[in-house]
Amino acid sequence: RQQVLCVLEVDNFGTQDKITGQRLRFLELFAAQAGIALDNAQLVHRIESAHQSLHETQERLLQREKMATIGEMSASVAHELRNPLVSIGGLARRLRKQLQPGSRELQYASVIHEETVRLEKMLTKILSFVRQNDLVPAPLSLDRALEQALLIEGEKLTRAGIELRTEITDNLPLLEGDADQINQVLINLIANARQAMPRGGQLILRMTEAHLQGEEAVRIDIQDTGEGIPPEMLRNIFSPFFTTRK
């Protein structure tokens, strides 16, 4: 097919005999047959890749059908959950008004209120696994988002015997982003790190300035000393509801 697949180099290192024309024709015939075999092997590989891609597409379609069913069930559950959440949020707002400014209790009440608001928003987006969420971008401080995530997860890390180390560059730039979703990502990653260290360990959180495609950016690294993710599980980590925990 007018393509070079490889080069076959032949010499008589042992006998030092001259390669005759007849032998050269044999080698040319062998090289041609080897080229055909290599070409066939590549075709088989492409067929196998196409088959694997088709199989993955079928799996995604099945997953979408499951998500659609879960979405229908979730709509009624969301309605039932909204009422107690509204009550919790209202009581937390009242507590905030009665507590001393700057007190730890006021900080806790503020977190309860903010998390309740975030949960209410999550309920309205409970079908996020089967449809695209509308982003609400606004100026966002990532170190503030991390601080809020640690208010929620910090005590759990302490109870789990995990040493927390933060390395945050000063004066990080403000970015445009959806604060609720970024906050949820950070909480999820910190919680996953904690769950991967059942016997304790070290969690390192870094935030540094960076550039992405020529634009100002912030890089976040979350590193733990836990059990890691088995290679065979990596393809599933973005599947909704996938977990290795009992």
Side-chain angles (χ1 to χ4, degrees):
R1 298 183 182 181
Q2 306 302 315
Q3 296 180 40
V4 178
L5 296 179
C6 65
V7 175
L8 179 65
E9 185 178 354
V10 183
D11 199 357
N12 281 339
F13 290 111
T15 64
Q16 301 293 320
D17 290 342
K18 183 179 178 180
I19 297 178
T20 64
Q22 182 180 1
R23 184 164 291 183
L24 185 60
R25 284 192 294 275
F26 168 77
L27 289 171
E28 288 172 346
L29 178 63
F30 172 78
Q33 293 298 320
I36 293 170
L38 285 171
D39 191 40
N40 288 339
Q42 289 181 341
L43 287 172
V44 169
H45 177 70
R46 284 197 289 270
I47 290 170
E48 288 175 345
S49 297
H51 176 73
Q52 179 65 26
S53 177
L54 179 62
H55 179 67
E56 290 174 357
T57 301
Q58 289 174 332
E59 285 187 342
R60 284 196 294 271
L61 287 172
L62 287 172
Q63 187 70 15
R64 286 180 182 178
E65 289 180 7
K66 291 178 185 176
M67 291 303 101
T69 303
I70 291 172
E72 291 174 4
M73 295 170 57
S74 300
S76 59
V77 175
H79 179 72
E80 296 299 324
L81 288 176
R82 187 179 300 278
N83 292 334
L85 273 177
V86 169
S87 300
I88 293 170
L91 291 171
R93 279 194 299 272
R94 290 185 183 181
L95 278 174
R96 289 172 65 182
K97 294 177 181 178
Q98 297 175 14
L99 294 170
Q100 290 294 326
S103 67
R104 198 68 175 169
E105 289 79 8
L106 178 60
Q107 191 177 26
Y108 289 152
S110 298
V111 170
I112 292 171
H113 174 250
E114 290 167 7
E115 289 303 296
T116 303
V117 171
R118 190 164 62 87
L119 283 171
E120 288 177 17
K121 290 180 180 178
M122 286 174 63
L123 288 178
T124 65
K125 299 175 181 178
I126 204 155
L127 300 180
S128 59
F129 291 120
V130 291
R131 71 182 181 196
Q132 185 72 28
N133 268 346
D134 292 331
L135 294 175
V136 185
L140 170 67
S141 169
L142 283 180
D143 49 350
R144 168 71 182 123
L146 179 61
E147 181 184 339
Q148 189 156 358
L150 287 175
L151 274 175
I152 296 163
E153 285 292 321
E155 191 175 343
K156 297 175 186 176
L157 294 173
T158 303
R159 286 203 306 267
I162 295 170
E163 176 195 352
L164 176 64
R165 199 171 89 205
T166 57
E167 301 172 7
I168 302 176
T169 302
D170 292 332
N171 302 317
L172 288 172
L174 287 176
L175 301 178
E176 287 284 319
D178 188 310
D180 288 338
Q181 295 199 34
I182 289 291
N183 191 250
Q184 188 64 51
V185 168
L186 291 172
I187 290 171
N188 289 350
L189 288 173
I190 293 170
N192 284 346
R194 170 173 53 79
Q195 291 156 2
M197 296 185 284
R199 290 174 293 279
Q202 186 181 65
L203 176 63
I204 303 173
L205 306 174
R206 297 188 188 93
M207 278 193 182
T208 54
E209 286 190 67
H211 286 85
L212 181 65
Q213 298 176 350
E215 298 287 338
E216 198 172 36
V218 175
R219 172 175 173 145
I220 303 174
D221 291 292
I222 298 182
Q223 178 183 344
D224 64 64
T225 56
E227 302 166 343
I229 302 174
E232 64 272 14
M233 297 292 183
L234 283 174
R235 65 190 300 268
N236 297 317
I237 61 174
F238 292 111
S239 298
F241 311 122
F242 173 77
T243 181
T244 57
R245 288 179 289 141
K246 293 181 181 179

